[in-house]
Amino acid sequence: QLQLVESGGGLAQPGGALSLSCTDSGNPFGTRFEELAIGWFRQAPGKEPVGVACISNLSGRTLSADSVKDRFTLSRNSGKRTVTLRVDMLKPEDTGVYFCAAQSLPNHAPCTLLRTDYFSWGQGTQVTISS
């Protein structure tokens, strides 16, 4: 049973940085964490969730939306069953609820930023960027 939990959100100032973590707190004897692609989605107030970045299984290759490509960085620690999203040069537009989600892929296949491709979701963590 996969159970994703986000952490690291909160209030930050424009120009700063945040690190958000997505950790599988479920059964460690289930699917190997490194076999799952992990995506991050941002839901701005009044909007639907939009994919911003993802990291593929095994290879660790990443994909970012054009709007965040230069500022968002993903990394994976399989031993801790955790994927970390680092956001640099924070902007007010980064405000929203950040969800992480899991995607099953063939080995080395690229991840996607499509909501319908993900089967398990965390509860979300609030990020607010304000002076």
Side-chain angles (χ1 to χ4, degrees):
Q1 183 70 31
L2 185 67
Q3 181 63 60
L4 300 180
V5 179
E6 302 93 337
S7 63
L11 179 64
Q13 295 183 338
L18 280 176
S19 290
L20 307 180
S21 294
C22 175
T23 298
D24 175 25
S25 63
N27 186 356
F29 299 100
T31 303
R32 290 179 176 269
F33 190 69
E34 65 184 13
E35 295 179 356
L36 297 171
I38 299 295
W40 282 94
F41 295 79
R42 180 175 64 201
Q43 184 172 26
K47 305 293 184 179
E48 295 183 353
V50 176
V52 293
C54 65
I55 184 167
S56 297
N57 61 345
L58 299 179
S59 70
R61 296 171 182 172
T62 59
L63 173 67
S64 299
D66 290 340
S67 60
V68 305
K69 188 177 296 293
D70 295 332
R71 301 186 297 112
F72 284 32
T73 304
L74 283 173
S75 61
R76 181 193 296 266
N77 188 323
S78 295
K80 298 174 63 176
R81 303 179 69 84
T82 297
V83 166
T84 298
L85 171 66
R86 178 177 175 85
V87 185
D88 294 300
M89 297 300 297
L90 287 163
K91 302 178 179 180
E93 305 89 87
D94 296 324
T95 293
V97 178
Y98 284 71
F99 300 90
C100 69
Q103 177 182 39
S104 294
L105 291 171
N107 290 350
H108 308 296
C111 59
T112 74
L113 298 177
L114 302 176
R115 287 185 296 164
T116 55
D117 288 344
Y118 290 80
F119 68 91
S120 184
W121 293 73
Q123 83 289 347
T125 184
Q126 176 70 47
V127 171
T128 302
I129 311 302
S130 179
S131 298

